Amino acid sequence: MRSFVVASLAVLMVVCATGVSAREWRNLRIDASSQTRFNESVQQMRDTLPYNRALLFGLVLKDLQARLTPAAYRQQLDGLTYKQIASLASPNVTAEYLAHYYGGGAGGRTMMPDAGGFSSSVPNPFGVFPGFDSNTGQPLLAQ
């Protein structure tokens, strides 16, 4: 009986912790009051987001930087949450994001049957994520 209670408490703690981390990145906002705070808030959002959302976030930021002046870019993002930033995705960003997961197209990724999945010569723009290959962003196989 005691082991059942301990196991139940452990499961409850894991479920609660998962909910807290999800709320954490959903409540983050970009702070563009200064260049330093802007850079810190962008990096914090990148670090906190799950991999797939961080990928879309990075693609949207790259697209906005290419289309806007630095001042307009910061002003556009000031106070926005991840969901609001993701809604700014252009059709090109959407195509690149989908190409990352489904192969071919704008992202330069191709389906390689002999390689057992996707491959890319483009390094992961977000650095190292635990459990993911830093060059391709694909999950690592359990060893």
Side-chain angles (χ1 to χ4, degrees):
M1 178 69 176
R2 183 173 183 210
S3 61
F4 176 73
V5 171
V6 171
S8 298
L9 287 174
V11 168
L12 181 63
M13 289 172 48
V14 168
V15 168
C16 289
T18 303
V20 169
S21 70
R23 276 192 305 257
E24 182 180 332
W25 65 261
R26 286 188 175 111
N27 293 331
L28 289 176
R29 292 185 177 274
I30 300 296
D31 178 5
S33 58
S34 71
Q35 185 64 40
T36 303
R37 286 188 179 185
F38 177 75
N39 292 340
E40 288 172 357
S41 63
V42 167
Q43 190 59 47
Q44 180 184 16
M45 195 172 284
R46 272 189 184 137
D47 293 344
T48 308
L49 288 168
Y51 175 79
N52 62 322
R53 294 179 190 272
L55 177 65
L56 179 61
F57 178 72
L59 293 172
V60 171
L61 293 184
K62 184 175 75 170
D63 183 57
L64 289 174
Q65 277 182 322
R67 292 188 291 134
L68 301 171
T69 65
Y73 170 70
R74 275 185 39 204
Q75 184 180 13
Q76 173 85 25
L77 295 174
D78 190 28
L80 298 183
T81 62
Y82 163 78
K83 189 174 182 179
Q84 293 166 323
I85 293 168
S87 71
L88 299 173
S90 69
N92 291 338
V93 169
T94 305
E96 189 173 352
Y97 180 75
L98 292 174
H100 176 81
Y101 285 104
Y102 299 112
R109 301 181 67 82
T110 58
M111 185 63 120
M112 305 270 297
D114 57 333
F118 296 107
S119 66
S120 173
S121 60
V122 179
N124 182 356
F126 308 110
V128 177
F129 280 87
F132 292 92
D133 184 290
S134 62
N135 290 323
T136 65
Q138 297 300 313
L140 297 173
L141 300 175
Q143 297 195 23

